[in-house]
Amino acid sequence: MIRLLGLLILFPLLATGQMPTKENRYLDSLQKVAQNKSLGDSSRAQANYFISGFFSKTDIKQARWYLKEANKLAKAYPFLLAGEPFYEATFLPDDDERGLILYKKADSLLSKFTTDEAYLFRSKIWLNYASVLQLNDKQTEAVNTIISKSIPLTKKGKGDILLYFMYADLATLLSNIGQNKQSKSYFSMAIEGLKKAKSKSSRVAAVYIDASSTLCLLKEYKEAAAMLDEAHKRLVPFPESPINSHFYAAESMYLNRTSNYKKALISADKGLALATELHTEYINHALLLEKLESFRKLNNYRAAEKVFKELQKDETFQLLSNVRRNAYKTIAEVYAADKQFPNAYFWMEQYSRLNDSISESNIKKEIYEMEVRFRNQENLHNISMLKSQKAKAEYSAENNRLMSWLLAAAVLFFLLLLFLVLLNYQKSRRLAQQEKISYKQQLKELAQQEQLQVSSAVIEGEERERKRMARDLHDGLGGLLAGVRLHLSALFQKSGSPSLETKTAIIGQVDSSLNELRRIAKNMMPETLIKFGLERAILDLCMSCSTPDLKIEFQSFGIQEDLPEKTQIMIYRIIQEILANAIRHASASTIMLQCSQNENIFLITAEDDGKGFDTNHVIPTAGMGLENIKARVEYLNGKLDLDSAPNEGTIINIELDVCKTS
């Protein structure tokens, strides 16, 4: 089974090796960044480049439109423009050798930059270069590209996790050309590094899958089974990952080599169905090859012949000579067992021709490696001679300098003594200055800590008082008013009671008082928040604030239910204050509120179409509300970004750290 390197298009994911589990959500995020004019041209240009790469294999017209927009925004950023040929290459078919020219051009332009980001970008360009070579059946050149280009650049850019994935890609290529022992060694390096890095990427599962295939080729089936088990565990959180198709191909291979042919057929069929569902048909050749082997072993020659005909229609199968060679040999054996000797002879002849061609390329590879070793030895010899000559010259020069050193020794001694005295003086002075600065810094930090503690205490005290007052109003005054209503109702039922109009007015006033009491108590400590959690409480708040003249749209993404109660209350108060400010001062007709959580980061975005204001001259009536919001954001170690202008509405973006407060 030949395993393919994946073309690396979505560059921001490559530093960690993480692929998005929901591509549409990832695309939506990029498009929001690309359309957000409040962001810099650099960020928007990068987003457009990434979207172009996203569409490069599915919608060329749309991909080129985004590439054009990206180039416009990146005019002032040479580094971003340097990557343009890389994205242009992704528009070509994966095996198109014109891509090699574009990848080289992108690398040449990026070689002017010496940042870690530039080195990592170049390493990924060369990995794509190796992918094109692989699809053109130039396996040895692909191996050499990764060893001499991608890996050194990855090390230079300090991309440790990416380096481990590079080792895995190199191991895959080595396995494809029959270097299975070397392949196993690189897989071990990759897996050990990824374990230390504790990477949870779906690509880690692909490493275990490819390692299991290599171990099968080495007939180390116990270790191969362990690798498949680990891959299966890691794929559980990623049901939509294309790597699931690879898993079934590897599992089918393992089952065939352990004589479980019927189970191997089941796994291969699962993989083919999933490949169609996930649009990963490029793995079909491997799955069909395993089906062909299963039917051969089960002596089902008609089914084997049918699978072989299907395999011949596969584009990737036609590109890879090693795969075709294995298939030709297997089908020849099928026809021979079925006594179809002319067909068996024909396909064995095809196998023999292809095998001779591959063997010839292997001989060329060995000659090339011998030449490299010879040149390396010759270079080492020349370096040794140059070092010897240099040592002799240095020895002669040393003798000539010795007398000068002796004559200058006395002068240098006194100069050194003077230098040490001055150095000691400067050091003492510098230490004194540093101590003074350090003392001021400590005082400043203490003052900041004290201010933060005071703010925290005020906010916590305010919340405790709200809870107490809400409880007292609800349980105390609320109970009394309810009792008054009951007594009045009983009184009015007696004879000689006041008129119906008087009864209705009095009971109506009591009902209004009860409703107002409940509203105040709910405002101070909403029951929905305590009973049903933050998301439901915010939704209720939005619904209660909505009127025929004011529409509030609320969206939530991934809000966790296990947030500490104190944190939930603080977030609720922030949103309550934001809505209150918008309703009181903005005269808005629509408010859009979005809350989302990504692990320990909680994001709040509020946008209204109201009259806005000049952020440099905040109106006094809104000032206290904004100060309350800022105080709570600081309490949650967060950041607040306010964007508004007269008659242009207001946008508030808040980022909170919900981990440090939990």
Side-chain angles (χ1 to χ4, degrees), residues 55-88:
F55 285 115
S56 62
K57 300 302 178 189
T58 57
D59 190 338
I60 295 295
K61 184 177 180 181
Q62 196 167 7
R64 288 196 177 280
W65 187 88
Y66 279 107
L67 183 62
K68 185 178 179 181
E69 290 298 306
N71 289 337
K72 288 180 185 178
L73 293 166
K75 285 182 179 179
Y77 303 95
F79 173 73
L80 295 180
L81 278 177
E84 191 270 341
F86 168 83
Y87 295 99
E88 186 72 34

Side-chain angles (χ1 to χ4, degrees), residues 25 61 64 85 230 333 349 402 409 431 571 583 592 622:
R25 182 177 296 181
K61 184 177 180 181
R64 288 196 177 280
E230 184 63 28
E333 292 172 351
E349 187 179 23
L402 182 59
L431 285 172
I571 294 171
I583 293 169
M592 296 181 66

